[in-house]
Amino acid sequence: MLVQIPDVLTLQEVVYCRRVLEAAGWVDGKVTAGDQSAPAKHNLQVPQDSAAGRELSEIVLQALGRSPLFATAALPLKVFPPLFNRYDVGMTFHAHVDNAIRPVPGTGARIRTDVSSTLFLTPPEDYDGGELVIEDTYGAQRVKLPAGHMVLYPATSLHRVERVTRGSRWASFFWTQSMVKSDQQRRLLHEMDMSIIRLRADLGDAHPGVLGVTASYHNLLREWVEM
């Protein structure tokens, strides 16, 4: 399931993140790559343990907490602390699949990467290339969103970042361990929840049809959730 979420960050938050990133130290992006993806990865990252990385990670986590669409699409149990990368001219990330398990630095904890997320920090008109290309059941989906917007997609997906040919593409990226492991089940729950929202707006909360669909949603969630 591929879901685009608009305005995860406000304009003011995007501007602030950009200002902090402009002054940050950047390192080779291979520092967080696995054995399979490292040769394919050609970008820069802000060190996760840097002051800038920790501050901006917290800003993104707070923004996720106020996004109902992220909650219903990802059904998050654990969120990996957001990271930040950039692709300058000539940089790319060839086709790869994200690591299934990620250790959370400094905690001893690990998360299963069910959902991958990219939060764009650069307006699309400021760079050429740099599209996130995700292979799904409907073919290759090319994603290039406004600054502050985010895309979610299954971490099992083969995906890549096209070579940047002008400008620089900056983004935050992270993974979520969902309460519902199956992408197909998450898709069904998300579609059902979106239908419930529309039915509530049209019919009201007390309508028998709304009550019945809502009950089915929660009973399916209860059946499929892993805590």
Side-chain angles (χ1 to χ4, degrees), residues 181-197:
K181 181 179 180 180
S182 164
D183 178 60
Q184 182 178 9
Q185 291 172 346
R186 285 197 307 273
R187 180 196 298 270
L188 290 171
L189 288 167
H190 175 63
E191 292 173 350
M192 185 178 290
D193 199 18
M194 293 299 96
S195 295
I196 290 170
I197 291 171

Side-chain angles (χ1 to χ4, degrees), residues 18-172:
R18 295 273 309 180
R19 186 183 307 128
V20 173
L21 290 173
E22 285 168 359
W26 295 84
V27 298
D28 193 318
K30 289 182 172 63
V31 296
T32 56
D35 292 340
Q36 177 265 334
S37 59
K41 190 175 187 180
H42 305 282
N43 66 5
L44 300 172
Q45 285 182 205
V46 173
Q48 189 171 14
D49 59 354
S50 67
R54 291 194 300 270
E55 179 187 9
L56 298 186
S57 178
E58 187 59 33
I59 289 173
V60 173
L61 288 173
Q62 290 178 3
L64 296 176
R66 63 176 186 253
S67 172
L69 187 50
F70 173 73
T72 187
L75 295 170
L77 177 63
K78 303 175 185 176
V79 178
F80 191 90
L83 301 167
F84 298 85
N85 63 16
R86 65 184 285 176
Y87 291 80
D88 295 334
V89 172
M91 293 184 178
T92 184
F93 199 163
H94 300 301
H96 64 285
V97 172
D98 291 334
N99 289 354
I101 304 295
R102 287 270 175 182
V104 181
T107 67
R110 297 179 297 174
I111 75 164
R112 186 185 64 232
T113 58
D114 297 321
V115 181
S116 297
S117 298
T118 297
L119 172 58
F120 291 79
L121 298 174
T122 306
E125 62 270 17
D126 285 2
Y127 63 100
D128 293 332
E131 295 88 354
L132 174 63
V133 183
I134 304 162
E135 300 286 348
D136 70 5
T137 53
Y138 301 103
Q141 308 297 315
R142 304 177 70 87
V143 183
K144 188 174 183 179
L145 300 180
H149 294 215
M150 183 170 73
V151 61
L152 277 62
Y153 57 97
T156 54
S157 302
L158 191 68
H159 58 283
R160 67 184 187 271
V161 176
E162 298 282 42
R163 186 179 305 276
V164 171
T165 59
R166 178 187 66 87
S168 185
R169 172 203 191 267
W170 297 12
S172 175

